């Protein structure tokens, strides 16, 4: 079976329309409608299909078929009352067609067909189905996509593809791998879901905590890749940041006010408020210290803070956790009118608290930086000695950048230069590298003077 | 669907025979067997003798090569297995978390390939 890529499908459809002299308006609007529906409804419809057919691949193929059908009928017949219900109904029929054709699953076919044979138009039923159980079904699909039995990169790709409706080519571009590589990654993940029988359900009991943490981590990684791109020329990929926020908002609705989900949402909103201030017009990184704080998005800060405050004052479901504390750290930064006025004592205390939930060298490093501002560079340098002994951050660029900065402030210029050089060497992002180089040159010229 | 739960641990990890902790662990295994049987999940399960008793065979160009020891030299070695009937991977992982050795060793969970008859 030849599976055409979305882009190719659309192009061929467009060409088809053009050759038949259909008004350009119709094509353009059909395009926009379908594009919007993919973004908005893809996750909902796909989750419903998967719930019914218990088969990722089949559901996705059937939904693609339905989108194609939409492109050819909507411009002619007009937009259906509920495009999502129309897509669901059509996709179900297409799935049944596909099952009929698949000889190898004859037994399964009999079972499914007897339950699902369409008698008449079930647009109405589809609409109801979408309205009622739908939210649980999307939640179930998020948990499947973020299952810890899948490799982390695959979890990210599968979540973006299935829930947000991003195209494989878009995800590939965002993560700077070829479309083929990304498609492979997704295919392998779907194969494992099937082979190992990873269920389409929301985990229960003891498994829920670990699995919710995995979902939140996947979303946070998506955001971070957008906020501080580890690869490529662009420092920020705003589309990934926005998708991550959308996903968290969805998760919050679906989980009914879970504290850590709220914590994550607050964190992402607060971080996002600095997106514009973080990158100069010519794409250079602007550190927190040098940011023009008037560029911070007040609206996002307000939203982030209000979510955080109601979460921390209790009354919500769930426990205290790492995302709530990280949001509190971010909030402490937004509270300061200038970098100098930052309450570093509070921040270093929050890092200490965070370390209890996330005992990683990265958290320890950030805590050391806060200490160095609260109590002087020597306090920070003493704190990072421990990380150095453990050697966990030997290839972590921010470690050398932070150490270099503390050494510079402590007046140990030569050692600072060595560490800046190491940081430049390890940086994978051009903007970041340029920033570090500039620092290095400034310091080197000071010595010469 | 059947899952194979492969139980790995290092020789020097976990309770040693003759200690009260070892008795407790064995008790844990007995309870696991009882629970899995009661739930209709249990298909088979056995402990293996130590990795030092392992022999590995390869047939190469029609000639057998026999060597002592397990297939791969690792600190954690295969010490036993369970074959269980589970609803899905989460169900199997739930059972894996109940195996006493999971506290100091590791449990590899693998779906059994179904051969169409």
């Amino acid at each position: 079976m030849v599976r055409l890529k979305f882009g190719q499908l659309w192009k061929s459809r467009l060409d088809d329309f053009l050759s038949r002299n259909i008004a350009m308006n119709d094509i353009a609007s059909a395009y926009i409608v379908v594009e919007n529906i993919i973004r908005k409804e893809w996750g909902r419809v796909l989750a419903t299909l998967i719930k019914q057919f218990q088969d990722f691949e089949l559901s996705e193929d059937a939904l693609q078929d339905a989108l194609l059908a939409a492109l050819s009928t909507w411009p002619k017949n007009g937009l259906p009352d509920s495009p999502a219900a129309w897509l669901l109904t059509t996709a179900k029929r297409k799935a049944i067609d596909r099952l009929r054709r698949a000889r190898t699953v004859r037994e399964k076919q009999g079972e499914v067909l007897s339950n699902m044979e369409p008698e008449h138009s079930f647009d109405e039923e589809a609409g109801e189905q979408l309205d009622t159980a739908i939210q649980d079904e999307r939640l179930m699909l998020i948990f499947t996509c973020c299952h810890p039995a899948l490799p982390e990169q695959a979890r990210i790709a599968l979540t973006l593809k299935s829930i947000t409706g991003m195209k494989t080519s878009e995800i590939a571009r965002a993560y700077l791998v070829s479309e083929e590589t990304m498609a492979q990654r997704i295919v392998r993940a779907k194969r494992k879901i099937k082979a190992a029988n990873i269920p389409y359900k929301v985990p229960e009991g003891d498994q829920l905590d670990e699995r919710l943490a995995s979902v939140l981590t996947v979303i946070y990684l998506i955001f971070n890749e957008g906020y501080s791109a580890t690869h490529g020329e662009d420092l920020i990929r705003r589309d990934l940041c926005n998708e991550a926020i959308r996903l968290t908002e969805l998760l919050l609705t679906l989980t009914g006010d879970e504290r850590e989900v709220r914590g994550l949402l607050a964190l992402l909103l607060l971080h996002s408020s600095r997106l514009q201030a973080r990158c100069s017009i010519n794409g250079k990184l602007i550190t927190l210290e040098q940011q023009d704080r008037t560029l911070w998005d007040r609206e996002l800060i307000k939203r982030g803070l209000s979510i955080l405050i109601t979460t921390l004052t209790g009354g919500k479901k769930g426990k205290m956790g790492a995302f709530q504390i990280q949001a509190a750290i971010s909030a402490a930064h937004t509270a300061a009118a200038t970098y100098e006025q930052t309450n570093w004592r509070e921040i270093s205390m929050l890092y200490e608290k965070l370390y209890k939930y996330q005992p990683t060298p990265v958290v320890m490093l950030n805590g050391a930086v806060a200490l160095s501002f609260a109590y002087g560079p020597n306090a920070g340098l003493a704190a990072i000695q421990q990380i150095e002994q453990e050697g966990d951050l030997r290839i972590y660029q921010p470690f050398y950048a932070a150490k270099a900065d503390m050494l510079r402030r402590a007046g140990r210029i030569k050692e600072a230069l060595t560490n800046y050089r190491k940081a430049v060497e390890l940086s994978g992002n051009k903007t970041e590298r340029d920033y570090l180089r500039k620092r290095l040159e400034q310091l080197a010229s000071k010595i010469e003077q | 669907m059947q899952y194979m739960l492969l139980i790995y641990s290092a020789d020097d990890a976990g309770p040693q025979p003759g200690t009260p902790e070892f008795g407790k662990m064995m008790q844990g295994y007995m309870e696991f067997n009882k629970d899995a049987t009661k739930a209709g999940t249990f298909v088979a399960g056995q402990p293996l003798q130590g990795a030092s008793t392992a022999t590995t065979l390869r047939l190469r160009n029609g000639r057998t090569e026999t060597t002592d020891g397990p297939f791969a030299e690792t600190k954690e070695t295969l010490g036993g297995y369970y074959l269980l009937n589970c609803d899905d991977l989460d169900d199997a992982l739930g059972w894996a978390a109940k195996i006493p050795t999971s506290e100091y060793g590791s449990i590899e969970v693998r779906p059994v390939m179904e051969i169409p008859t």
Side-chain angles (χ1 to χ4, degrees):
Chain A
M1 180 180 53
V2 181
R3 290 186 58 194
L4 283 169
K5 301 276 180 322
F6 263 126
Q8 291 169 324
L9 279 178
W10 284 359
K11 193 179 174 313
S12 70
R13 275 293 137 183
L14 184 63
D15 292 343
D16 193 31
F17 283 140
L18 286 173
S19 67
R20 284 188 284 136
N21 280 332
I22 289 177
M24 197 55 206
N25 277 354
D26 289 351
I27 302 159
S29 61
Y31 234 65
I32 292 162
V33 166
V34 172
E35 176 91 45
N36 281 344
I37 283 171
I38 289 174
R39 298 302 262 192
K40 238 178 67 200
E41 313 288 5
W42 177 270
R44 292 208 305 158
V45 179
L46 184 65
T48 317
L49 289 168
I50 289 176
K51 174 86 189 276
Q52 194 142 13
F53 291 94
Q54 294 287 307
D55 188 327
F56 212 115
E57 204 96 57
L58 174 72
S59 304
E60 222 177 33
D61 287 343
L63 184 50
Q64 286 193 15
D65 292 346
L67 287 169
L68 259 190
L71 266 171
S72 62
T73 42
W74 291 356
K76 271 184 287 177
N77 304 345
L79 203 59
D81 290 340
S82 164
W86 189 98
L87 280 175
L88 180 59
T89 305
T90 311
K92 276 188 198 166
R93 290 207 184 101
K94 300 284 184 188
I96 293 165
D97 287 348
R98 278 173 179 273
L99 280 175
R100 271 208 197 97
R101 285 197 300 264
R103 299 264 175 264
T104 48
V105 285
R106 200 170 293 160
E107 260 186 51
K108 195 176 175 185
Q109 177 186 349
E111 188 188 308
V112 176
L113 286 182
S114 62
N115 292 334
M116 319 224 343
E117 189 68 59
E119 286 164 14
H120 39 263
S121 157
F122 45 11
D123 266 13
E124 225 167 88
E125 183 198 324
E128 262 167 45
Q129 228 174 339
L130 278 167
D131 290 341
T132 53
I134 198 79
Q135 300 215 317
D136 290 348
E137 282 152 22
R138 250 183 315 172
L139 184 61
M140 147 210 109
L141 190 55
I142 293 179
F143 274 103
T144 307
C145 292
C146 297
H147 201 287
L150 301 170
E152 194 168 87
Q153 287 301 317
R155 282 183 233 168
I156 291 169
L158 212 54
T159 304
L160 285 173
K161 178 131 202 303
S162 309
I163 309 294
T164 74
M166 261 173 97
K167 283 173 262 173
T168 306
S169 58
E170 289 172 337
I171 305 168
R173 221 177 306 125
Y175 285 89
L176 289 177
V177 297
S178 71
E179 193 175 340
E180 201 185 356
T181 305
M182 189 52 81
Q184 268 294 324
R185 204 174 274 172
I186 293 170
V187 164
R188 256 186 246 123
K190 282 192 280 199
R191 233 176 256 157
K192 180 161 184 187
I193 290 174
K194 199 166 195 173
N197 201 15
I198 293 176
Y200 301 106
K201 69 179 186 200
V202 177
E204 292 160 5
D206 294 347
Q207 287 178 340
L208 184 61
D209 273 357
E210 184 203 358
R211 300 281 302 283
L212 183 63
S214 173
V215 172
L216 295 177
T217 304
V218 166
I219 297 177
Y220 189 54
L221 287 171
I222 291 170
F223 182 87
N224 262 348
E225 186 58 39
Y227 191 65
S228 173
T230 50
H231 312 281
E233 306 291 299
D234 292 338
L235 185 69
I236 292 167
R237 278 194 282 272
R238 206 178 276 260
D239 51 344
L240 286 180
C241 293
N242 291 340
E243 291 300 353
I245 290 173
R246 265 176 21 126
L247 273 169
T248 316
E249 283 169 338
L250 173 66
L251 194 64
L252 190 60
T253 335
L254 300 181
T255 54
D257 255 1
E258 177 75 35
R259 280 186 70 160
E260 267 297 79
V261 185
R262 290 174 66 90
L264 178 63
L265 184 57
L267 176 65
L268 300 190
L269 291 170
L270 290 170
H271 272 351
S272 290
S273 72
R274 293 178 214 137
L275 273 174
Q276 212 190 331
R278 204 165 175 269
C279 194
S280 71
I281 300 163
N282 48 6
K284 299 256 184 287
L285 168 79
I286 304 174
T287 58
L288 198 58
E289 187 176 358
Q290 290 158 332
Q291 281 171 18
D292 173 0
R293 297 188 174 213
T294 60
L295 289 177
W296 288 0
D297 188 323
R298 294 284 136 197
E299 198 46 46
L300 287 174
I301 292 177
K302 221 164 78 189
R303 275 182 64 203
L305 284 180
S306 93
I307 291 171
L308 180 66
I309 289 162
T310 50
T311 308
L312 293 180
T313 49
K316 303 288 170 204
K317 222 169 74 177
K319 301 178 201 117
M320 173 52 85
F323 287 118
Q324 290 162 74
I325 300 170
Q326 280 170 278
I329 292 171
S330 197
H333 282 298
T334 55
T338 63
Y339 191 72
E340 288 69 35
Q341 287 171 25
T342 309
N343 188 344
W344 289 109
R345 286 176 188 221
E346 184 194 351
I347 290 176
S348 71
M349 196 192 73
L350 284 167
Y351 271 115
E352 208 174 296
K353 200 165 175 183
L354 180 61
Y355 191 76
K356 289 194 187 116
Y357 290 89
Q358 251 177 31
T360 68
V362 173
V363 171
M364 204 191 269
L365 174 66
N366 290 329
V369 172
L371 268 177
S372 81
F373 286 124
Y375 305 99
N378 286 327
L381 285 166
I384 62 173
Q385 220 161 24
Q386 197 184 338
I387 314 173
E388 218 155 17
Q389 276 158 7
E390 287 166 18
D392 280 345
L393 294 175
R394 246 178 306 221
I395 54 158
Y396 188 62
Q397 174 274 124
F399 172 77
Y400 293 99
K403 191 179 172 196
D405 190 54
M406 287 182 213
L407 287 165
R408 176 184 64 82
R409 282 156 49 213
R412 291 155 67 179
I413 306 298
K414 267 195 187 143
E415 290 163 86
L417 283 173
T418 317
N419 283 279
Y420 271 126
R421 273 188 208 107
K422 190 82 190 163
V424 169
E425 214 173 279
L426 287 170
S427 176
N429 180 291
K430 189 177 174 300
T431 314
E432 198 176 69
R433 207 163 41 234
D434 290 347
Y435 167 79
L436 289 166
R437 245 189 222 129
K438 208 171 113 198
R439 267 273 152 115
L440 178 63
E441 280 156 17
Q442 278 170 352
L443 201 57
S445 68
K446 236 185 224 166
I447 288 191
E448 281 159 18
Q449 280 162 10
Chain B
M1 183 161 174
Q2 287 190 350
Y3 290 86
M4 183 70 123
L5 278 59
L6 300 161
I7 304 164
Y8 288 89
S9 64
D11 280 350
D12 52 2
Q16 300 300 310
T19 61
E21 288 77 24
F22 188 80
K24 227 180 188 169
M25 182 187 75
M26 292 316 290
Q27 187 82 37
Y29 268 103
M30 266 147 66
E31 271 162 35
F32 182 94
N33 293 348
K34 212 172 74 194
D35 291 349
T37 309
K38 209 170 136 199
T41 303
F42 186 88
V43 180
Q46 296 277 294
L48 303 179
Q49 291 201 38
S52 60
T53 65
T55 309
T56 302
L57 176 140
R58 296 172 181 81
L59 190 62
R60 296 286 183 276
N61 302 321
R63 281 176 45 193
T64 56
E65 290 169 15
T66 312
T67 49
D68 72 314
F71 166 66
E73 284 296 334
T74 51
K75 206 165 157 7
E76 291 203 329
T77 55
L78 184 63
Y81 73 93
Y82 278 109
L83 185 63
L84 300 180
N85 241 329
C86 299
D87 293 340
D88 52 44
L89 183 65
D90 282 358
D91 188 20
L93 291 172
W95 284 103
K98 292 192 187 113
I99 296 178
T101 303
S102 66
E103 280 178 40
Y104 58 89
S106 45
I107 318 294
E108 181 178 332
V109 179
R110 293 269 289 269
V112 172
M113 197 186 277
E114 281 166 38
I115 312 276
T117 46

